[in-house]
Amino acid sequence: MLHAPRHHSLLAIVALSLPLAFLSTDAVSAPPASPASVLRDFRVQPANVVLTGHLERAQLLVTGLDLAGRFSDRSPDLTHAVTFASSNPKVATIDATGRLTAVGNGTAAITVRRGGVSKTVAIKVTGVVSTPRFGFGSHVMPILSKAGCNMGACHASQYGKGGFKLSVFAFQPRNDHEMIVRDRHQRRLNLLDPERSLFLRKPTMQVPHGGGKRLDQNSTDFRILAEWIRNGAPGPVRRTPKVTKLTVTPAQRVGETGLSQQLRVEAEYSDGSKRDVTAWAKYNSMDEALLSVNDTGRVKAVGKGQAPIMVRFEGQAQIATFVIPYANSVQLAGWNSNNFVDELAAKKFRELGIEPSPLCDDATFVRRAYFDAIGTLPSIAETKAFIASNDPKKREQLIDRLLGLTGDPKLDVHNDRYAAYWTLKWSDLLRNHSNTVGEQGMWALHNWLKQSLRTNKPFDRFVRELVTAKGSIFSNGPANYFRINRNASDLTESTAQLFLGIRLQCAKCHHHPFEKYSQEDYRGFSAFFSRVGTKNSQEFGLFGRESVVVVRPSGSAKGQTLDGDSVTHPLDLRIPLAEWLTSPKNDYFAKNVVNRYVGYLLGRGLVEPIDDLRETNPPTNVELMDALAKHFVKHKYDLKRLIRAIMVSRLYQLDSQPTKANAADDRFYSHFKVKRISAEPLLDAIDAVTGVPTKFRNLPPGTRAIELPDAEYPNYFLSTFGKPKRASVCECERMPDESLSQALHTLNGDTLVTKIASPAGRLQKLLRAKNPHDEIVEELYLATLSRYPNDKERAACRRLLKESPSPKEFYEDLLWSLLNSKQFLFVR
């Protein structure tokens, strides 16, 4: 029986050439700061302002010249470095931060001054009356949202707080008005003396408040709420214009650590009107290690990199992107672009001041390409042939062979493994499981998936067949989609997340907190599936559990796309849904697929999580996402062409070893992201190295783990290494992170021990053949790590062989060490 190696230094053998990424966390030295821009001129935005109504507000932005003497995204923000003065404070006042407030009707001029330079902004105020009337929807709800009163942790929690309950994000304004005005015998409002209202005394901490101070007695918002109460606390108006769009200025800002930038937010309403809502918008940093932002919309850069600020107001969300380069300039030494992917990656490297790592070596590449394209370890013969080749295009040729794109049947021999590996991916996402659809249904869907990928079916056709499927789940594989997702809600959420990368779950109960989607959008999208149902059939009575997917005559006759367009169809609403989903005009469809495959191949999506595409979660490289999506559409949704475009790029072929210049980067692909090999390919690799295949229950001998059709098999190794149970459409179900139980299993578990010591295995055959020592060591390295041992490793093996009690024990320990090395367990 094989035990853990007695020579602990065996593990050191395979560590000799491990990437330093595993061994070091050297910090990146900061580049020298650039000199401040010399003030020659500045501009004020907007150039003139019209305020309508009492206490309306607007934000002025003051921008200086950049170092080149122009106004650009590198221009410094001077809003908090100038002085403001109003020519008529009875018309409009302005504070030191550039925030205007309407006081009375008329005109005024705001003088903005810095040094010897001054600018003037014309102000016009209208609509101010002696008895101002503030609306519940237009004024009160934005104030409560800004103060956080209707957040899930406060009064919008399941049972509210202190007997006072509001709807989440104000999605039920009528109920909220009832709670504020009438609940508890109107005890919250004092119509005769508004300032004494409990509704105002609580958030100003005049009486104890569990949520702390949320409002200042001297603030404009306090005055608005008091006037609203004084006017009888009117409720929401049915036809109040809704916010349809937010515009954030500036949309992008480039600068250095320490920069400060005031944001300005403008809302556009359904009636075409516009309003400055900077004072009421909510601001959140999407990376607090890089950016901080306060309640007034002032952003400060505290780190280096790229990150957005999320801005929300009345159910709409938008972002402002900040880029803080790691260095002032980079050389990109030796960088030669292989395709458009590299050109746009290089553009981003220059923008961020990141110097990428060099190319990986051939041994690393051949192993990486095999695992990523077909989920399989290359054979020794394949590895030797690739390393020995001097053809300058050998990497591109290898990718074409793996993807079956050469056109030569003698070379395109990997199609079955390609189909098996990617069928596994999509089976996980579609949740193909015999517990749900039965053995026959599971096999029908599995075979349809595999055949679709084997023939490289265009992905738009793949989705159309799936979304419009009907008939027997036993004879028509894609019909199982409607057995797995049994109702309109499941179909709505699964379809949106799988094929658009949009998570609609939140919108089922309330307006999506970080997106534009409302309950109305959810209901309109779910209407596409309202007529779909199943019925039992006896045609396959021998097997049982057969269902037939049908389209009923009853149900909604109209659906609504997530673009807001109403759609009808006399027979089956899923037909126009499928057309809209896969339309070249639907950016989300192509971008969702592109982002998933970037994540699979490069270890991180352009958007993370890779199935959460939204306006407030932008790609790290917007231009690259757009270009890949256009490439995907141009090539008629060809998945193999998409994979090829990524794999032939220099970006994909970079070394995983970070440099001091790019060690801090984990988002922009300046070095290849090391990925743990997932459960099924890893078990297949162990089988291939040891020469001892795993036998799976009810499947013929020789079946590889990547070919497993069902979700669960009684295999401890697969369970330990995270084979998903297919309970969710979320990519997160297959956890990529390593765990202690995985390490313990490979170090001490039965799987490796039994296979290494097996008389039918590779190692025992080598020993029986009495091959020379150097040949055995070389074969073990080539079989496991897809490379030759280096001189230090060869010397260490000779020394340890002499120290070992027997050659057999040494070689078993060596193979055990190689299989436990990070170079084997990871794609790097």
Side-chain angles (χ1 to χ4, degrees), residues 109-130:
I110 301 297
T111 301
V112 184
R113 187 183 304 278
R114 188 179 190 224
V117 181
S118 65
K119 301 283 182 179
T120 302
V121 178
I123 307 298
K124 182 179 180 180
V125 178
T126 63
V128 176
V129 294
S130 57

Side-chain angles (χ1 to χ4, degrees), residues 17-19 22 358-372 376-378 383 386-387 394-395 398 402 647 652-657 672-675 781-782 784-788 823 826-828:
S17 53
L18 279 177
F22 296 123
L359 288 174
C360 66
D361 59 41
D362 285 342
T364 299
F365 178 80
V366 68
R367 192 172 193 272
R368 181 188 300 177
Y370 268 81
F371 270 117
D372 282 345
T376 303
L377 187 69
T383 299
F386 183 80
I387 294 175
K394 66 179 182 179
R395 295 192 177 189
L398 174 63
L402 291 172
M647 291 183 69
Y652 174 79
Q653 299 176 32
L654 292 179
D655 194 68
S656 60
Q657 172 64 52
F672 187 80
K673 182 177 176 60
V674 176
K675 302 174 293 187
Y781 268 84
L782 285 167
T784 52
L785 309 184
S786 302
R787 66 172 177 83
Y788 292 97
Q823 290 191 58
F826 290 78
V827 173
R828 62 181 186 88

